[in-house]
Amino acid sequence: MGNKRIDEPTGTEFVGHEWDGIEELDTPMPRWWLWTFYATVVWALIYVILYPAWPLIEKGTEGVLGWTSRGQLAEEMSAADMARQSFREELAVTPLERLPDNADLLQQAVAGGRAAFQIHCVQCHGSGAAGNQELGYPNLNDDDWLWGGDIRAIEYTIVHGIRQPDSSETRTGQMPAFAGAIEGERLDALVDHVLSLSDLAEPNAAGAVIYAENCALCHGATGEGSREFGAPRLNDAIWLRGNSREAVARQILNPRLGMMPAWGERLEPATISMLAAYVHSLGGGEDFVEVAADPAIEVDEQP
């Protein structure tokens, strides 16, 4: 006791450490800090008893509450699966044409279709569904549809695909190759007439005659196209393969015909319905087809 040294200004005992003339005081911890520390110790003990805490050789301590993060995740996943199942069941019994009558169901279908599109469709149509003109993948945001743009027509195309030999109901349209039949001046005249249908060139009388003899049957007298044959419109500003003279001439001489997988055997019906709803919602989709007054009556799949 007699060896204790007290700092007179503070009344605090020195601990006896000195460094370069600087000495350390044995200042006691603040009471609030000590009580906080004791509380954390108590809380740690309670936590160890209630929750998993100590790792052992094969597994950890379980805690008296029996709670685990794995168990919580399993419960949340189960709840999410039940919600999705309920949505899919409701979607399965709702005709696509009736989706606008249920705003929540339509919103969920579009959201689900967007996710499915990112998995199955972006490889060709792009993440924004803008397609690829060079490769002939159509833009799904515009108003041009080779086979129809109402939701039923879109669904049919998704199910059966385009030019798929393994699907008996696939959409199939053909265009003959005119290489060797239409060449030189006749080809130039026909290209002039085709471009003139969308005001991209001056009218060509000779080309109009060639068009009427060889093209009007499928593409229409004024280039309005035909969804029965999948023949594109030629009198608007939307071009699947490009609107340059070279692109039009190449398509006349050696047409490049697109293909699309048939997803009917690959995807669940609910997923196909969601994809149809999403594609229809992109902006170019046409009005929902009216259905019979009795909702139980089946609507023909063929647009």
Side-chain angles (χ1 to χ4, degrees):
M1 296 290 290
N3 293 330
K4 286 186 177 181
R5 296 175 54 236
I6 304 298
D7 179 54
E8 294 183 2
T10 62
T12 304
E13 181 183 357
F14 286 99
V15 298
H17 300 159
E18 184 268 336
W19 180 264
D20 198 21
I22 301 174
E23 294 186 88
E24 183 180 354
L25 299 178
D26 189 14
T27 303
M29 292 287 186
R31 287 291 181 182
W32 65 266
W33 192 96
L34 285 174
W35 285 114
T36 302
F37 174 72
Y38 296 149
T40 59
V41 172
V42 174
W43 165 248
L45 293 174
I46 295 174
Y47 185 92
V48 168
I49 296 171
L50 297 179
Y51 295 97
W54 294 100
L56 304 176
I57 295 178
E58 295 184 357
K59 63 178 183 178
T61 56
E62 296 182 356
V64 297
L65 294 182
W67 178 93
T68 64
S69 57
R70 291 177 182 269
Q72 183 181 26
L73 175 61
E75 291 177 2
E76 293 176 355
M77 293 292 289
S78 177
D81 288 340
M82 291 181 62
R84 282 194 294 267
Q85 183 62 27
S86 175
F87 156 68
R88 286 175 175 271
E89 290 175 355
E90 186 177 5
L91 183 62
V93 299
T94 303
L96 289 176
E97 299 83 0
R98 296 292 188 192
L99 283 179
D101 299 339
N102 188 330
D104 290 339
L105 185 63
L106 176 60
Q107 183 178 8
Q108 292 182 69
V110 170
R114 181 183 297 108
F117 188 91
Q118 297 302 315
I119 297 173
H120 302 291
C121 311
V122 297
Q123 295 84 351
C124 296
H125 292 287
S127 58
N132 185 308
Q133 191 175 79
E134 179 61 28
L135 299 177
Y137 300 137
N139 184 347
L140 303 179
N141 299 286
D142 60 33
D143 297 326
D144 257 16
W145 297 88
L146 293 178
W147 304 97
D150 65 78
I151 197 167
R152 277 290 184 182
I154 294 171
E155 180 199 36
Y156 188 95
T157 300
I158 295 172
V159 170
H160 300 292
I162 307 295
R163 300 182 182 89
Q164 290 300 301
D166 56 344
S167 176
S168 60
E169 298 179 78
T170 188
R171 296 193 183 281
T172 301
Q174 297 294 333
M175 175 174 171
F178 287 97
I182 301 177
E183 301 278 1
E185 293 182 357
R186 282 166 50 82
L187 176 62
D188 291 338
L190 179 56
V191 170
D192 282 339
H193 178 72
V194 170
L195 292 176
S196 73
L197 295 175
S198 56
D199 298 324
L200 295 176
E202 294 298 323
N204 187 303
V209 173
I210 299 171
Y211 179 90
E213 295 173 347
N214 298 277
C215 313
L217 179 63
C218 295
H219 292 285
T222 60
E224 65 272 18
S226 170
R227 290 178 175 178
E228 180 181 358
F229 306 115
R233 290 183 60 185
L234 304 176
N235 59 4
D236 59 15
I238 301 173
W239 296 79
L240 181 60
R241 294 284 188 174
N243 61 0
S244 66
R245 293 187 62 84
E246 294 76 12
V248 174
R250 181 171 59 177
Q251 197 66 5
I252 292 172
L253 296 176
N254 294 290
R256 294 166 295 168
L257 305 178
M259 300 181 68
M260 175 179 162
W263 294 99
E265 299 297 327
R266 307 185 188 189
L267 300 177
E268 297 176 351
T271 301
I272 291 176
S273 296
M274 289 187 287
L275 278 170
Y278 172 67
V279 173
H280 184 270
S281 74
L282 289 174
E286 299 169 347
D287 292 340
F288 283 83
V289 176
E290 292 295 331
V291 296
D294 183 357
I297 296 178
E298 284 286 333
V299 180
D300 187 2
E301 290 275 354
Q302 174 67 44

